[in-house]
Amino acid sequence: MFEVMFKELRELLRDRKTLFFVIALPIVIFPVLFAFVAFLTSKAALEAEQKVHTYFVVNEDYAPAFSDTLFYHRSFKRYEGEAQLDSVSALRDAVRQGIIDVGIYIPAVPDKQLAQGEQSRFQVVFNDAQSINYIYSRIKKVIDTYSAKLTEQALNELGVDTDKQDAMLQPVLMEKVDTADRRENIGEKIGAFIPYMLIPLVLMGASYPAIDLGAGEKERGTLETLLLTPLTRTQLVLGKFLTILLSSIACALVTVSSMSIWIGLASGFGALDPILSAFASVTQWDFLLIFALLLPVAMMLSSLVLAISIYARSFKEAQNYMGPLSMLVFVPIVVSVLPNMTLNAKTAWIPITNVALAIKEIVKGTVDYQAVGMIFLASILLAAALLACCVRWFSREEVLFR
């Protein structure tokens, strides 16, 4: 069994394609892609933050204090063109044509309406289709400030003391007391994405060697030679299985190590400090537990891809069979991020979903070790069943020589 494993490992190390997918891809390509996406996202957010919006206020004489605040706001510039903007429809057309970024329509004098017990409605016209857009929040902040001044002025005229106005306007305040610590808060948001990175990598690290060791042997005509050796079919399968398992784990380990190094380098810019401070409370024991949870997943996927590869007639046929397998891995991970999905006695028995939930709980620092024990039991039972099926699959002549 180990002779087969070492022989397969030597052949894998000579295969440039496998080395590229198992080592070069997670070390170089993935970090570069992630860094590129992060750069574009931060650049777009910075440009949106610094953008100065052109605005126009219809009937600005009705609310001079509001107009003055907007005029001196560093993020807004008044439209000085000659276009006739005197209605909401005219403002809408101007925004669509790119003449202005935002228009505000004031229908009446707010002071007079307040004295009559009526509310003023400022209509804000802008394009809200952009994903990163600060226009509405900035205008709302100016309007809220103006509205607060009008309220204070009205209450003063009614003889209400300034120090009592807050209590009168909002007799009951809601104060949030969060029992979750910083690690739990950030872990809930980030921990759910770690399985998205690790579990597909475990599958990728197993797929390419499996195709070579099963369907590849058939195409090269070396399978018959291997079958003539004094080793039993079970030993041959276990040797190939261990090779694929090592490759799968190596791919995940290389990726995690590479990401930790790149994150360490990027932390010099300070943008990742909140995330790093949250992960600082994740202990070595937690990392070991995450790695231990990935082992039975790697065993399951290694058995599955080896069985598929043995069944396939050629390299290409094996690739076609393994394509849909990635969807079977992603769906359980997606289930783990659904609202109110937690690790309990039931979800601990759902393959892959249970590991994804456990990884999230480990990062949060709220993992239930009894549930982790059930995950190990369920995963190892399933992995053993798949490996037994793989051994039986390899013993059938009609499968080996299709």
Side-chain angles (χ1 to χ4, degrees), residues 335-390:
V335 171
S336 70
V337 297
L338 292 178
N340 295 328
M341 277 297 289
T342 56
L343 183 61
N344 52 43
K346 291 181 180 176
T347 55
W349 294 91
I350 304 175
I352 297 181
T353 299
N354 52 10
V355 174
L357 288 171
I359 291 175
K360 184 169 74 173
E361 295 293 332
I362 290 170
V363 176
K364 287 168 59 180
T366 56
V367 66
D368 179 1
Y369 290 102
Q370 190 176 357
V372 170
M374 285 190 282
I375 292 173
F376 274 117
L377 180 62
S379 301
I380 290 174
L381 285 176
L382 184 57
L386 287 170
L387 186 58
C389 290
C390 190

Side-chain angles (χ1 to χ4, degrees), residues 208-220:
Y208 292 99
I211 293 173
D212 187 64
L213 300 186
E217 293 259 22
K218 282 186 179 180
E219 267 195 347
R220 293 192 298 270

Side-chain angles (χ1 to χ4, degrees), residues 62-346:
Y62 290 172
F66 169 75
S67 300
D68 289 344
T69 305
L70 211 56
F71 181 79
Y72 292 109
H73 199 291
R74 65 183 177 88
S75 299
F76 291 100
K77 180 181 69 176
R78 185 159 64 182
Y79 172 66
E80 302 291 351
E82 299 178 354
Q84 187 69 25
L85 306 175
D86 54 4
S87 63
V88 174
S89 61
L91 292 174
R92 187 183 295 119
D93 292 339
V95 171
R96 285 175 178 168
Q97 294 170 15
I99 297 174
I100 59 174
D101 295 318
V102 56
I104 299 103
Y105 182 80
I106 303 176
V109 180
D111 293 8
K112 293 181 179 179
Q113 286 190 296
L114 181 59
Q116 297 170 1
E118 297 177 357
Q119 285 183 317
S120 296
R121 290 184 181 274
F122 288 17
Q123 290 179 272
V124 181
V125 183
F126 69 105
N127 186 344
D128 197 23
Q130 296 177 349
S131 56
I132 302 177
N133 198 333
Y134 296 108
I135 291 179
Y136 184 78
S137 60
R138 287 169 177 166
I139 293 287
K140 183 177 183 302
K141 193 172 180 181
V142 177
I143 290 178
D144 288 344
T145 303
Y146 175 64
S147 180
K149 287 181 179 176
L150 289 180
T151 304
E152 182 183 352
Q153 180 183 337
L155 290 174
N156 286 332
E157 291 175 356
L158 291 173
V160 179
D161 293 338
T162 305
D163 55 350
K164 294 180 180 177
Q165 289 180 9
D166 288 340
M168 179 173 286
L169 292 173
Q170 194 169 3
V172 179
L173 282 176
M174 184 173 69
E175 187 173 350
K176 181 180 177 182
V177 180
D178 192 358
T179 57
D181 57 16
R182 184 182 179 83
R183 173 179 173 178
E184 191 174 347
N185 272 320
I186 296 181
E188 175 67 24
K189 298 173 181 66
I190 297 176
F193 292 98
I194 294 178
Y196 273 105
M197 181 183 69
L198 292 180
I199 296 177
L201 281 172
V202 170
L203 173 63
M204 190 183 74
S207 298
Y208 292 99
I211 293 173
D212 187 64
L213 300 186
E217 293 259 22
K218 282 186 179 180
E219 267 195 347
R220 293 192 298 270
T222 55
L223 183 61
E224 291 82 354
T225 307
L226 199 61
L227 293 172
L228 291 175
T229 60
L231 297 172
T232 64
R233 299 286 175 92
T234 302
Q235 288 173 321
L236 288 176
V237 172
L238 289 178
K240 290 177 179 292
F241 167 76
L242 289 175
T243 307
I244 297 168
L245 182 63
L246 285 175
S247 170
S248 174
I249 295 298
C251 186
L253 278 177
V254 167
T255 304
V256 173
S257 304
S258 168
M259 292 298 290
S260 64
I261 293 171
W262 281 100
I263 288 175
L265 293 174
S267 64
F269 297 98
L272 298 177
D273 284 349
I275 297 175
L276 291 175
S277 62
F279 273 92
S281 54
V282 181
T283 63
Q284 295 296 324
W285 163 251
D286 294 329
F287 284 114
L288 283 174
L289 193 56
I290 291 174
F291 176 71
L293 283 168
L294 289 176
L295 275 175
V297 175
M299 292 170 65
M300 284 190 292
L301 296 177
S302 298
S303 303
L304 200 56
V305 293
L306 181 58
I308 292 173
S309 181
I310 289 170
Y311 179 78
R313 291 190 184 91
S314 63
F315 208 93
K316 187 176 180 181
E317 188 177 338
Q319 285 181 317
N320 292 337
Y321 289 148
M322 289 184 193
L325 191 61
S326 59
M327 288 300 299
L328 294 178
V329 171
F330 272 111
V331 169
I333 301 174
V334 171
V335 171
S336 70
V337 297
L338 292 178
N340 295 328
M341 277 297 289
T342 56
L343 183 61
N344 52 43
K346 291 181 180 176

Side-chain angles (χ1 to χ4, degrees), residues 42-53 75 130 132-135 138:
S42 60
K43 185 172 181 288
L46 184 64
E47 287 177 353
E49 174 69 27
Q50 295 178 341
K51 185 176 181 181
V52 177
H53 307 288
S75 299
Q130 296 177 349
I132 302 177
N133 198 333
Y134 296 108
I135 291 179
R138 287 169 177 166

